[in-house]
Amino acid sequence: MHRISTGELHRFNAEPIDAVDYHFDLDYVGDGIRDHRLDVLVPHEAPGPLPVYVYFHGGGWTSGDKAPLTKYAASQAVDGMIVVNANYRMATRFQLKHMLDDGNEVLRWVARHIEEFGGDPRRIVLGGDSAGGHIAALLAASAFDPVLASYYDLRPQVAREDLRGLVQHCSIADISVMFERGFVLSLNFLRILLPERGRGVVLRTAARFMSPIEWLDSGFPPVLVTTSERDYFYRANLNFIAALRRRSIAVDTLIYDRKQANTRHTWQQDAAHPESQEVYRRLGAFVRRVAGVPAAAAAVAAVAVAERPAALPAA
């Protein structure tokens, strides 16, 4: 498993935000391993309790780390929310069930401890990019569908009414696209997410339980989807948006066309791009709307937003 390079860490976290308190590497399970660490980012002088944005990094289920997402997480925290930036166990040593178990343990930790940081455990927004977005979406779906929760032997740690929103950055919320000829990821990526690499399992049958789009409930929370034509999960994102709208589930979108050069897969992580800054504006507004930010905190957020560079128009 690949974590991060020094260059990657520096690139994404250049010019750190000093209006946030950083609490790094909290052990949410108690076993001392890095896979079970999370960071909590708290905005200065914002009155609580604040909504909580729980985020899972991407990396194709096999790589990645929370550390490069520090600047991204801080950019959200200054918009008037507590941000939890979490690691989780990854393939090939572990399977999707372990990743969902870890995500569920993050939510258990949030329920027990986030009030100590000024967060409100009754106002949770889940999010992630790429594979992390996939994990976040399955966790959200499992809170609404007992069949899905039972399949992964999950006891959801967030109540339906407390899950206020879901954020998807370049996520693969529709696994069916992986069966299309020529897709960028082979079906081996699905097999490594299954016990014994899916031996003896009909892959299309198993894929249904791996695909968030298959488990949308009419009570599903509002969703924010950001993607672009340059993202190789673009088709999966469009399918997910269409499925949400068919079920009358509220969905906000930020979709860039191919002309925007800074919108390759998971561009949202790099705060240097004006396209990313527009994502942060939309995300802050989304959380304030679905989770409710106190007026004083919203005023602090408005100042932070006003100081950001101008954004480019989306498609």
Side-chain angles (χ1 to χ4, degrees), residues 91-102:
T92 59
R93 183 179 178 187
F94 299 100
Q95 292 86 53
L96 181 57
K97 175 178 169 29
H98 299 104
M99 301 173 200
L100 295 175
D101 284 342
D102 289 351

Side-chain angles (χ1 to χ4, degrees), residues 2-286:
H2 167 66
R3 283 290 184 186
I4 50 173
S5 68
T6 301
E8 182 183 26
L9 189 60
H10 174 75
R11 174 189 169 198
F12 288 125
N13 292 323
E15 300 179 357
I17 295 172
D18 61 7
V20 171
D21 290 327
Y22 298 85
H23 305 271
F24 290 122
D25 288 331
L26 305 179
D27 191 335
Y28 63 84
V29 170
D31 57 10
I33 68 171
R34 183 165 179 79
D35 287 336
H36 289 152
R37 301 293 178 89
L38 58 77
D39 303 336
V40 180
L41 291 82
V42 182
H44 291 171
E45 301 177 359
L50 295 176
V52 183
Y53 181 41
V54 180
Y55 197 81
F56 300 98
H57 68 80
W61 303 284
T62 63
S63 64
D65 190 271
K66 61 183 175 59
L69 277 298
T70 300
K71 178 72 173 286
Y72 167 88
S75 296
Q76 313 318 317
V78 294
D79 257 358
M81 65 192 83
I82 307 297
V83 181
V84 175
N85 182 22
N87 276 345
Y88 51 88
R89 291 172 292 177
M90 294 178 287
T92 59
R93 183 179 178 187
F94 299 100
Q95 292 86 53
L96 181 57
K97 175 178 169 29
H98 299 104
M99 301 173 200
L100 295 175
D101 284 342
D102 289 351
N104 212 35
E105 285 298 314
V106 170
L107 295 176
R108 183 197 298 271
W109 186 94
V110 167
R112 293 178 174 178
H113 298 288
I114 205 63
E115 288 179 312
E116 301 165 20
F117 299 88
D120 184 351
R122 290 159 295 278
R123 291 185 292 158
I124 303 293
V125 175
L126 296 181
D129 61 273
S130 194
H134 172 252
I135 292 166
L138 278 178
L139 285 172
S142 69
F144 287 85
D145 197 303
V147 174
L148 181 63
S150 177
Y151 181 84
Y152 288 106
D153 196 25
L154 288 178
R155 183 180 177 186
Q157 295 299 307
V158 57
R160 293 184 177 197
E161 61 272 17
D162 297 339
L163 183 54
R164 305 299 183 90
L166 173 68
V167 175
Q168 298 281 278
H169 295 325
C170 299
S171 172
I172 185 160
D174 179 13
I175 293 292
S176 72
V177 298
M178 294 184 68
F179 290 88
E180 297 174 357
R181 184 182 297 274
F183 189 70
V184 67
L185 298 180
S186 77
L187 291 176
N188 286 331
F189 272 88
L190 291 188
R191 293 188 178 96
I192 65 173
L193 297 178
L194 296 170
E196 298 183 352
R197 293 183 177 268
R199 188 177 306 156
V201 172
V202 177
L203 197 55
R204 281 191 179 272
T205 301
R208 178 172 178 266
F209 289 92
M210 304 165 77
S211 194
I213 198 172
E214 300 285 348
W215 302 93
L216 297 175
D217 181 274
S218 59
F220 204 79
V223 182
L224 170 65
V225 179
T226 69
T227 189
S228 82
E229 286 186 307
R230 288 177 174 264
D231 175 30
Y232 44 74
F233 291 165
Y234 177 64
R235 173 78 171 274
N237 281 268
L238 294 188
N239 292 348
F240 192 54
I241 291 166
L244 291 165
R245 288 174 172 162
R246 283 197 301 271
R247 291 164 176 80
S248 299
I249 299 169
V251 55
D252 290 1
T253 64
L254 177 59
I255 304 173
Y256 283 108
D257 63 29
R258 191 169 294 278
K259 292 181 293 185
Q260 302 298 146
N262 299 317
T263 59
R264 296 187 184 276
H265 187 61
T266 67
W267 87 87
Q268 300 93 337
Q269 298 178 10
D270 194 338
H273 298 321
E275 293 89 348
S276 299
Q277 292 295 328
E278 179 62 14
V279 170
Y280 303 166
R281 289 188 181 89
R282 297 286 187 93
L283 197 154
F286 175 78

